[in-house]
Amino acid sequence: MEAEVGNEEVGNEEVDGKEVDGKEVDDREFAESKIALNHRIRKNERDLALAKRRRSWSNYSIALGPILALILYALWWVPQVSPTLLKAIYYPAIPVSIAFCIASYYLKTHPGGPVERARPGEFGSEVNSGEGSGILDPDGLRVWQTSFLRRIFSNDKRRSIDQIELALDYAIDSRKSLYTLRSVPIDTRRSAYKEDARADVERFREEGSKYRRTNNNLQVVLIVGSLAATAASGVSGEFGFLRWAVLALTFTVGVASGLMAYFKFKERSFYLQQTADDVEYEIEALEIGVGRYKHIEDPHEALKEFASEVHRLKAEQRKREQNLEQPPDLNNPSD
């Protein structure tokens, strides 16, 4: 009986050891899956930012390319403009207009994020069929031997903004389901929330920088347009065609002023930067144990307090954004 009991105890120890090993394997697989999903999310976020920048560049290229060409064409038929002034304007403006026309065509016909380098079998039979002139490098990547114009007019492998957003949402949902499919301790969830807070800080700052740049650009248009309209109106008596320039400048200044007043870019940038600074302060205070965390000895309680405070800051930011979306008379009903 003692031997049997001893064998049972040994057997239990082996089973327990296997369970421990299995749990360690599960923990390792969970960590690896979380790292892989975080990497996929960061990659999709970077690709999405690049795709949006390329879309903005394409819009700027249209404004500085075809529209500039139309302005130059209309300027040719203005009789008040002397041939000497036309040459001074056309010599630098025509090459710039042509360059931006090519850039606008390329960016509009090749939208999306970075080029997806195709490996054999990744994009189907078109890569493996050997069609076209090309070779395979040692890594299996196709190196096309084409001219510059063929690169411009050919279709490269870029994901569109909708495809990148769909992949990003799928990766985020996969990370959420990773926590629900496996029983994860609450402290692990809070630690992951802390890592997500760092990404939120970067996101808030990027959005704040975008709104700040928009506000600064509109402010420059407002200042320069006002001064130019004043100067043009002063000499419009001698040059009659400048009255149209005064009208265009006045209209542009009015549009810039209206956009700044309605969309409140400055306020949005300020609140986003403020929230990013507050969340970053909470992260640093938690790591070095100062502020609200200096009297909390238990790290689990500190994480709990941190998650609660960051959640409150993000909720306040959402309320501020909702208030900025409301018309002015709803923001200040007493007025």
Side-chain angles (χ1 to χ4, degrees):
M1 292 295 293
E2 291 179 357
E4 293 178 357
V5 171
N7 291 334
E8 290 178 359
E9 289 179 355
V10 173
N12 289 335
E13 288 178 359
E14 292 177 356
V15 171
D16 292 340
K18 292 179 181 179
E19 290 179 355
V20 171
D21 293 340
K23 186 174 184 302
E24 290 178 355
V25 171
D26 291 340
D27 291 340
R28 185 168 62 252
E29 291 178 352
F30 171 76
E32 292 176 353
S33 300
K34 181 176 179 295
I35 291 173
L37 287 173
N38 287 336
H39 174 71
R40 191 190 308 173
I41 290 172
R42 300 293 179 266
K43 181 181 182 300
N44 286 319
E45 289 176 345
R46 183 193 61 193
D47 294 349
L48 182 61
L50 178 60
K52 290 182 177 180
R53 284 200 302 270
R54 296 182 79 249
R55 183 177 60 182
S56 300
W57 295 340
S58 66
N59 296 331
Y60 295 148
S61 299
I62 289 179
L64 297 175
I67 295 179
L68 179 59
L70 291 176
I71 294 175
L72 295 176
Y73 175 77
L75 191 62
W76 176 266
W77 300 101
V78 177
Q80 290 83 358
V81 181
S82 63
T84 304
L85 182 59
L86 284 177
K87 292 180 180 180
I89 295 175
Y90 277 12
Y91 284 160
I94 289 179
V96 171
S97 177
I98 294 174
F100 277 110
C101 285
I102 296 175
S104 63
Y105 174 82
Y106 176 78
L107 292 173
K108 285 299 182 182
T109 55
H110 299 73
V115 177
E116 299 291 337
R117 303 301 299 272
R119 293 183 179 275
E122 184 177 358
F123 292 104
S125 60
E126 57 181 315
V127 177
N128 298 324
S129 61
E131 298 178 357
S133 60
I135 58 174
L136 292 176
D137 65 359
D139 294 333
L141 298 178
R142 182 173 293 277
V143 181
W144 293 97
Q145 298 174 342
T146 56
S147 63
F148 174 72
L149 291 178
R150 184 170 180 178
R151 290 193 186 99
I152 292 179
F153 292 101
S154 64
N155 182 20
D156 52 10
K157 300 297 182 180
R158 296 180 186 271
R159 293 187 298 169
S160 64
I161 293 180
D162 294 336
Q163 291 174 336
I164 298 175
E165 289 179 345
L166 182 62
L168 178 61
D169 293 339
Y170 179 78
I172 293 175
D173 292 339
S174 299
R175 187 175 61 177
K176 291 179 180 178
S177 63
L178 183 65
Y179 289 101
T180 58
L181 293 176
R182 184 176 181 273
S183 180
V184 181
I186 188 63
D187 290 334
T188 305
R189 295 174 183 265
R190 288 169 180 166
S191 299
Y193 189 77
K194 175 187 173 184
E195 298 302 323
D196 293 339
R198 298 180 184 275
D200 291 333
V201 170
E202 297 298 327
R203 180 172 59 85
F204 288 148
R205 285 182 173 166
E206 289 179 359
E207 293 181 2
S209 299
K210 180 184 68 175
Y211 288 127
R212 184 168 57 252
R213 286 194 301 268
T214 304
N215 179 76
N216 293 338
N217 293 334
L218 291 176
Q219 193 69 36
V220 170
V221 171
L222 191 63
I223 296 173
V224 175
S226 300
L227 295 176
T230 304
S233 62
V235 296
S236 60
E238 300 180 7
F239 304 95
F241 68 93
L242 287 180
R243 289 178 296 180
W244 296 101
V246 173
L247 179 60
L249 290 172
T250 305
F251 177 77
T252 303
V253 169
V255 170
S257 178
L259 291 175
M260 292 174 61
Y262 184 81
F263 291 104
K264 305 179 182 68
F265 298 110
K266 183 178 181 180
E267 289 80 1
R268 294 176 187 272
S269 173
F270 172 77
Y271 288 137
L272 285 168
Q273 184 64 41
Q274 185 182 44
T275 304
D277 293 340
D278 291 341
V279 174
E280 186 179 34
Y281 171 79
E282 294 296 330
I283 295 175
E284 294 176 352
L286 175 65
E287 291 178 348
I288 62 179
V290 297
R292 67 177 73 248
Y293 311 103
K294 63 181 179 181
H295 297 300
I296 303 178
E297 300 295 337
D298 188 3
H300 304 295
E301 290 295 327
L303 270 176
K304 180 180 178 181
E305 181 68 20
F306 169 80
S308 176
E309 181 63 19
V310 172
H311 185 270
R312 184 188 67 82
L313 292 173
K314 293 167 67 174
E316 287 184 355
Q317 175 60 30
R318 286 192 292 268
K319 291 180 180 178
R320 291 168 183 160
E321 293 177 355
Q322 292 174 358
N323 291 333
L324 290 175
E325 295 293 337
Q326 300 298 326
D329 54 345
L330 295 181
N331 288 334
N332 298 317
S334 60
D335 297 341

